[in-house]
Amino acid sequence: MNRDKEKFIVVFTGTLWEAEMVKSLLLDAGIESFLQNSTGHSYAFEPILAEGVKVIIAETNSDVAKEIVEEYHRKNRE
């Protein structure tokens, strides 16, 4: 991913644990991502407490990434 010219978007916001799950799903689909506001070292005992963690991707991958995030939400509501 050429980060100098890419535009980036937030595709998911949640707890550190959820954000890591979404990041993993995106990686499985070949989409690189990174986390913003992840303070995992501060919440090592309770990763669920680290809220407001954003998963960020290149805008060019947004269509596929949004489908993956929607599927993640759908499966977690069941």
Side-chain angles (χ1 to χ4, degrees):
M1 177 184 320
N2 185 353
R3 294 189 174 159
D4 294 333
K5 297 180 183 179
E6 286 280 352
K7 283 187 161 185
F8 295 95
I9 62 168
V10 175
V11 291
F12 180 84
T13 302
T15 65
L16 177 59
W17 181 83
E18 292 170 324
E20 287 287 358
M21 291 293 293
V22 169
K23 184 178 176 188
S24 177
L25 292 170
L26 292 169
L27 186 59
D28 287 347
I31 300 173
E32 290 184 57
S33 63
F34 60 93
L35 302 181
Q36 182 181 24
N37 296 336
S38 63
T39 54
H41 64 283
S42 298
Y43 295 96
F45 301 108
E46 294 288 341
I48 232 98
L49 297 176
E51 294 181 5
V53 179
K54 297 176 175 137
V55 179
I56 300 173
I57 62 157
E59 189 175 42
T60 55
N61 296 318
S62 65
D63 292 337
V64 175
K66 287 177 182 177
E67 289 177 20
I68 291 169
V69 171
E70 286 173 10
E71 181 67 18
Y72 173 79
H73 282 300
R74 205 171 14 258
K75 286 183 177 179
N76 286 319
R77 286 186 200 132
E78 296 174 353

